[in-house]
């Protein structure tokens, strides 16, 4: 009896072609794939999660790989599915990497450098002023989110005073801030799958922004990581329990050390345009994901 898995993978920026290659390689191993299982269109009833006519919880594994369209409802079903079938990534790893504070807290507990951070209750706005005086510059970050959305650089007390009414309007329960580090406006994005180094590229902030995220105007360039960067990325992925991770690392010029900014549980494949630049890790990443699915479903059987 062949194994059956479900998949929800983004289709833009070449994702549809990536999905075709994964499905083909899985078929060669007698693993049948049902694609485009968007849990937004699923319902839970009588102990099952049903998408169209497919009983999702009877699959051998589910791969969820679409950051841009994830909703609270889908995450709720993601959690339920994780209790009964293998998931990539697991729900625990998914929710951890979605939360900037929880990720930074855990990484520091395991000796991995991250920017200094503080989490403050919304009613303790005076604490933010104290932090501002100590750090000089800081970055406000939503604890969830991706692509640099919502990140705000605060460079002085007057900027903080202007920001506070806006944050209060959002009815936030707490504020998460990080010390702004002096760096060269570039980062490393290191892809890790199943504990293996897949590839790396650099991102550079535009002249009008400090964020390196592509969605914030950053640009991609070829970059070779040294052994230390790869080791840090592998450890960060392992600590977060991720099967698949994209680890963002910068070099702190003042402390002269590498610092992990974020662990992304759904790192994008190289786009066709990026492949033309020389980013050639897609094949290795696909092969490692197929090996991972093969192993996890074999164990389930």
């Amino acid at each position: 009896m062949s194994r059956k898995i479900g998949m929800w993978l983004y289709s833009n920026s070449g994702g549809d072609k990536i999905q075709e290659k994964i499905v083909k390689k899985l078929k060669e191993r007698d693993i049948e794939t049902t694609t485009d299982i968007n849990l937004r269109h699923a319902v839970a009833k009588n102990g099952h999660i049903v998408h169209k006519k497919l009983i999702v919880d009877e699959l051998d594994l589910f791969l969820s790989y679409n950051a841009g369209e994830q909703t609270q409802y889908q995450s709720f079903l993601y959690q339920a599915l994780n209790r009964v079938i293998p998931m990539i990534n697991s729900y625990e790893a998914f929710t951890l990497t979605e939360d900037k504070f929880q990720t930074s807290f855990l990484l520091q507990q395991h000796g991995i450098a991250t920017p200094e951070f503080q989490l403050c209750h919304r009613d303790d706005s005076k604490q933010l002023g104290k932090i501002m005086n100590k750090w000089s510059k800081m970055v406000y970050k939503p604890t969830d989110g991706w692509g640099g959305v919502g990140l705000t650089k605060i460079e002085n007390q007057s900027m903080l005073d202007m920001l506070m009414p806006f944050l209060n309007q959002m009815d936030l329960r707490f504020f998460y801030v990080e010390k702004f580090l002096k760096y060269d406006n570039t980062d490393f994005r290191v892809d890790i799958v199943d504990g293996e180094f897949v590839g790396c590229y650099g991102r550079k902030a535009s002249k009008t922004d400090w964020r390196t995220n592509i969605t914030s105007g950053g640009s991609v360039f070829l970059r070779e990581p040294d052994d230390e960067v790869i080791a840090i990325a592998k450890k960060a992925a392992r600590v977060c329990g991720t099967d698949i991770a994209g680890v963002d690392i910068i070099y702190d010029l003042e402390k002269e050390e590498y610092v992990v900014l974020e662990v992304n549980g759904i790192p994008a494949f190289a786009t066709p345009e990026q492949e033309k630049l020389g980013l050639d890790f897609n094949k290795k990443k696909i092969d490692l994901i197929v090996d991972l699915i093969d192993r996890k479903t074999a164990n389930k059987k």
Side-chain angles (χ1 to χ4, degrees), residues 123-152:
D123 295 334
D124 193 11
S125 57
K126 290 183 179 180
Q127 181 64 20
L128 285 176
K130 293 178 182 178
I131 299 168
M132 186 77 247
N133 291 333
K134 177 183 177 183
W135 287 347
S136 173
K137 296 179 183 180
M138 63 184 181
V139 178
Y140 162 75
K141 288 185 174 184
T143 51
D144 58 352
W146 61 282
V149 177
L151 269 64
T152 305

Side-chain angles (χ1 to χ4, degrees), residues 3 14 24 26 46 74 114 124 162 178 201 243:
R3 291 164 283 173
K24 182 181 178 181
L26 288 171
N46 301 325
Q74 289 158 316
T114 74
D124 193 11
M162 291 176 61
E178 287 182 350
Y201 57 90
D243 296 309

Side-chain angles (χ1 to χ4, degrees), residues 220-275:
V220 168
F221 64 96
L222 298 180
R223 188 169 211 177
E224 288 295 327
D226 59 24
D227 291 343
E228 183 180 1
V229 168
I230 293 173
I232 291 171
K234 284 184 175 182
K235 183 177 180 181
R238 184 175 69 254
V239 166
C240 291
T242 49
D243 296 309
I244 304 173
V247 184
D248 297 341
I249 298 173
I250 63 171
Y251 187 73
D252 184 339
L253 294 172
E254 293 182 337
K255 290 189 174 181
E256 298 184 334
E257 66 177 358
Y258 290 112
V259 174
V260 173
L261 286 185
E262 185 175 351
V263 179
N264 188 321
I266 309 177
F269 289 82
T271 67
E273 293 76 19
Q274 291 168 352
E275 287 187 292

Side-chain angles (χ1 to χ4, degrees), residues 32-81:
E32 179 184 336
T33 307
T34 301
T35 59
D36 303 319
I37 302 179
N38 184 344
L39 293 178
R40 179 181 180 182
H41 306 302
V43 295
K45 57 182 180 180
N46 301 325
H48 293 291
I49 295 173
V50 183
H51 180 267
K52 298 180 180 178
K53 294 183 179 181
L54 176 70
I55 301 176
V56 184
D57 52 279
E58 292 183 351
L59 294 170
D60 295 303
L61 179 142
F62 186 69
L63 167 64
S64 180
Y65 211 84
N66 191 328
E69 298 180 56
Q70 200 74 242
T71 67
Q72 189 174 6
Y73 177 72
Q74 289 158 316
S75 297
F76 202 61
L77 294 184
Y78 194 157
Q79 182 180 17
L81 274 176

Side-chain angles (χ1 to χ4, degrees), residues 6-37:
M7 185 184 303
W8 186 43
L9 194 146
Y10 66 90
S11 59
N12 61 315
S13 302
D16 51 347
K17 301 299 182 184
I18 296 294
Q19 179 171 272
E20 289 176 10
K21 292 176 181 178
I22 294 175
V23 171
K24 182 181 178 181
K25 286 181 175 289
L26 288 171
K27 188 175 182 180
E28 292 171 355
R29 304 191 188 196
D30 198 25
I31 301 174
E32 179 184 336
T33 307
T34 301
T35 59
D36 303 319
I37 302 179

Side-chain angles (χ1 to χ4, degrees), residues 57-261:
D57 52 279
E58 292 183 351
L59 294 170
D60 295 303
L61 179 142
F62 186 69
L63 167 64
S64 180
Y65 211 84
N66 191 328
E69 298 180 56
Q70 200 74 242
T71 67
Q72 189 174 6
Y73 177 72
Q74 289 158 316
S75 297
F76 202 61
L77 294 184
Y78 194 157
Q79 182 180 17
L81 274 176
N82 189 80
R83 298 181 189 279
V84 291
I85 64 172
M87 304 285 288
I88 298 177
N89 284 311
S90 71
Y91 178 76
E92 289 79 7
F94 164 73
T95 53
L96 174 67
T97 55
E98 288 284 295
D99 189 310
K100 306 289 192 301
F101 164 70
Q102 299 291 348
T103 300
S104 293
F105 179 79
L106 187 62
L107 292 178
Q108 287 202 6
Q109 285 286 312
H110 285 81
I112 299 174
T114 74
E116 290 183 56
F117 65 85
Q118 288 206 25
L119 187 75
C120 309
H121 192 274
R122 59 173 294 172
D123 295 334
D124 193 11
S125 57
K126 290 183 179 180
Q127 181 64 20
L128 285 176
K130 293 178 182 178
I131 299 168
M132 186 77 247
N133 291 333
K134 177 183 177 183
W135 287 347
S136 173
K137 296 179 183 180
M138 63 184 181
V139 178
Y140 162 75
K141 288 185 174 184
T143 51
D144 58 352
W146 61 282
V149 177
L151 269 64
T152 305
K153 184 180 177 184
I154 305 170
E155 301 193 67
N156 51 54
Q157 185 64 45
S158 61
M159 287 183 66
L160 177 60
D161 293 339
M162 291 176 61
L163 181 64
M164 285 305 299
F166 169 73
L167 295 178
N168 287 328
Q169 277 186 350
M170 294 176 65
D171 195 28
L172 296 170
R173 291 171 294 171
F174 43 75
F175 303 126
Y176 174 70
V177 289
E178 287 182 350
K179 181 180 180 181
F180 182 78
L181 302 183
K182 184 179 180 181
Y183 74 118
D184 65 356
N185 282 358
T186 70
D187 69 4
F188 296 83
R189 161 55 69 86
V190 187
D191 268 31
I192 305 293
V193 175
D194 201 17
E196 296 284 335
F197 169 67
V198 174
C200 173
Y201 57 90
R203 297 180 300 184
K204 183 177 179 62
S206 68
K207 294 181 180 180
T208 59
D209 204 317
W210 55 276
R211 294 170 294 182
T212 58
N213 308 80
I214 306 304
T215 51
S216 302
S219 57
V220 168
F221 64 96
L222 298 180
R223 188 169 211 177
E224 288 295 327
D226 59 24
D227 291 343
E228 183 180 1
V229 168
I230 293 173
I232 291 171
K234 284 184 175 182
K235 183 177 180 181
R238 184 175 69 254
V239 166
C240 291
T242 49
D243 296 309
I244 304 173
V247 184
D248 297 341
I249 298 173
I250 63 171
Y251 187 73
D252 184 339
L253 294 172
E254 293 182 337
K255 290 189 174 181
E256 298 184 334
E257 66 177 358
Y258 290 112
V259 174
V260 173
L261 286 185

